[in-house]
């Protein structure tokens, strides 16, 4: 078994959501979950079929994101992985619905940060062990920084 | 710490669902989640109690699947892991309800494919790092293959 | 890439819930999820912001748990990790609501057992690969032990 | 305004689920919710479109249930009402997923009992006020009857 | 058909939750939903079986609330109605889990206010049309009252 | 007891969602549910407090919708009713999250159609019995109309 690190390429201004699912219908169901929640979102989902023809299955309404989602799904190469790339919507808007999709097992990360996926490779194939999502913490917020955080989520309207 | 790969033995015609939970009640609650959703399903759940007597806790309505679920839970040997093996129902039917069980943390995979679980072993015990679920992708679907996928999920009645 | 094991320090009588999320609002939303479910719970949540100032973001109603949650989040050091420590409530009471929080990706474990987090470190940062939650199973329950388990969850009132 | 009572005609061996929704997509989404949960179910859903052409919108995999669902939806005549009739599955199997459909507002009843829908009619149209679902209670269970209830749900396998 | 108003008798310090469900298992499942969420709650649930023996089905951990829940369920007399009375927990803590119970159709109200249930009676039986929950509004909050509301939910710790 | 019909005034281009809830925190929680799902939505929520000062509690990010939501909540006058008016988002986008709010009991309707609320008035106060949502059905879709419906939800991108 070998462990390697695969960098996810996130196009400018996009967010990535990576998860594990289990059926080719994932592509359509995650597509519908997103468009029914934020109709104006531009996005793509690529899902790695893991038996039979073993094709990357894709639904998208944006060509650049489509190509990038496919490239990331292939680079990781893990069976039943899905990669969502989305612009004009944020993971916080979409995650609840994606988690509720019938085929979705779990979400590895949701982020606009640089992401490295740690992959185990065996004779059989590849699997996601975990992700390095952005940068490690450099300190703890002090009271003024906590207040600024509190104010920020209210300034953008997400909390009252 | 040592990393090893453990193969999950999935009986002919069955699907496996592996996840992390946190209380011996998991066995009963996942059992009820499945039977309340697809009453005709044949299945077993084995859960690794991780403190006190540290017993594999089991609920099942099928003896072959019961034995296989126990064997897999022991082979992985990770604390608070659960293994579901099911016939006459598919993960897509069951996963929503299992994810909603009060004790369930997350689902590692749901699949009928060959599965290898990557396990870390420390002095304290064992933990699941990830899974190799089936085979890595061999290509990207072309428009005809996308259409065939689209047609297939409608032919089986899962989409309109 | 280097793999290391980080021990989570769980204060006496507390439970720990570790998960992956994706926005500084996680701290407030997980706080509200807990207090709206079990108002009497004493708890803290620490979330590792993974971009910009990269601060540990914290909400708590108990000083000891606050300090311990921060220390654990820093010790793991993975971007977008959150650590909940809670007394006077159990994960089974809270997990459903925490899983439903808009920002939560997945839960690594929920436990009062000793926990080791297996961390991958790259040049970029750190990520959680998995957890060793308690001890590996030592055997399989026999019918009397299964009955005792069944009786116990009824004695504490959690099942009828 | 006039109040009338409309009897729902439930075919032999079927269960009825009545609810309020809000978009013609309801027909397809409730169809998919059912078939993804209990693939072998025979069922129909009729939804009263309440603007524009104001047609009863229908999805079904059984002709008798299709005709009966349409007849019931028309007999009640309330805008945005939906009527599900199902065989080979029970409401307890399906209700969670139907409640979660994006368009579903609420469920009036789920039952194999005789049902009367109380309808208010105004100049504008008709609306459901409530339902008479089966028969009023005739007494309170005594300890032996409570035990028999407890035993029954375990005998059918729905509780452990 | 006759419309009457039935007053729900809520014991001092308790809250009432009224809803529609559809199977005798409701009594056990709602019981478990509550005790798994707020283990210290004192409560009772009475459910009106609407076919066969037509008994009020009851689960409770408090005798006074048990008697009161039965009396209210009988007074309303609607088939498949359930009445929860609870102390030492609030509806906001419990409602999510009760709504998610497999058998629950909908919730008519959740309140500590005086409640009148409007009941339609036909030859067949009785059904809930709606509820009068507390008192009608007397005015609109001004900015100071809105601020006081905002402050209050934070003072009790339910919002940050 | 008197039954009356109250017309909901829905501003041009808006949708209305009416429901029953149970705590003044409803106003903030429904606000957050909407803005976290479709950040660009313009909307207002008015909630009828039903005890103590009995004020209409309001959160909004649009003045016209704020005034209209208050007017509708007062016109209905039922305790614990809430009225959402929203532009630049549709109920199908929002309903899942609103149903999941901790305080929400049920949703009476979600619609852009003319709506009449049937209200029962007693000495104590007022309650919603049901709604007349749009127009009664005028016929049943034929195969061509079913195909047009099927095509329409795909043309707007909501189904694949």
């Amino acid at each position: 078994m070998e462990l390697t690190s695969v960098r996810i390429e996130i196009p400018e201004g996009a967010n990535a959501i990576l998860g594990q699912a289990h059926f080719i219908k994932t592509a359509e169901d995650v597509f519908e979950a997103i468009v029914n929640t934020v109709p104006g979102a531009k996005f793509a989902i690529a899902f790695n079929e893991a038996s039979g023809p073993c094709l990357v299955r894709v639904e998208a309404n944006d060509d650049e994101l489509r190509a990038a989602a496919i490239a990331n799904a292939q680079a990781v190469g893990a069976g039943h992985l899905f990669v969502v790339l989305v612009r004009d919507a944020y993971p916080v808007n979409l995650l609840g619905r994606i988690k509720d999709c019938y085929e979705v097992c779990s979400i590895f990360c949701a982020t606009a940060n640089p992401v490295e996926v740690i992959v185990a490779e065996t004779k059989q194939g590849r699997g996601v062990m975990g992700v390095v999502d952005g940068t490690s913490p450099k300190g703890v917020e002090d009271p003024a920084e906590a207040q600024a955080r509190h104010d920020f989520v209210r300034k953008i309207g997400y909390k009252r």
Side-chain angles (χ1 to χ4, degrees), chain A:
Chain A
M1 179 194 345
E2 204 182 349
L3 291 188
T4 54
S5 162
V6 176
R7 179 162 299 282
I8 299 297
E9 302 294 339
I10 306 181
E12 180 71 23
N15 273 265
I17 300 171
L18 277 67
Q20 186 79 3
H22 76 96
F23 183 29
I24 53 171
K25 194 165 72 83
T26 300
E28 291 187 68
D29 283 349
V30 172
F31 183 97
E32 292 184 10
I34 295 173
V35 79
N36 278 267
T37 306
V38 183
K42 293 299 174 193
F43 65 98
I45 164 165
F47 169 74
N48 286 344
E49 186 184 23
S51 61
C54 289
L55 298 173
V56 182
R57 304 299 192 162
V58 197
E59 298 283 344
N61 64 14
D62 178 284
D63 285 345
E64 179 196 0
L65 297 176
R66 178 189 173 88
I70 292 171
N72 284 310
Q74 290 188 300
V76 177
H80 284 172
L81 172 80
F82 69 88
V83 176
V84 170
L85 294 173
V86 58
R87 283 197 182 110
D88 299 333
Y90 294 93
V92 68
N93 313 141
L94 305 171
L95 211 51
R97 287 261 180 105
I98 293 175
K99 286 186 288 188
D100 282 347
C101 277
Y102 301 165
E103 300 87 3
V104 170
C105 296
S106 66
I107 305 291
F108 297 119
C109 64
T111 189
N113 296 330
V115 175
E116 290 175 284
V117 178
I118 309 303
V119 175
E121 180 154 12
T122 67
K123 261 191 213 167
Q124 178 186 304
R126 293 160 67 92
V128 173
M129 300 298 103
V131 297
V132 177
D133 178 351
T135 306
S136 291
K138 298 171 184 164
V140 182
E141 60 181 11
D142 63 25
E145 288 160 331
Q147 186 62 49
R149 161 175 63 84
H150 193 267
D151 293 347
F152 173 74
V153 297
R154 281 153 186 81
K155 186 181 147 198
I156 62 173
Y158 272 34
K159 299 287 281 185
R160 295 308 276 170

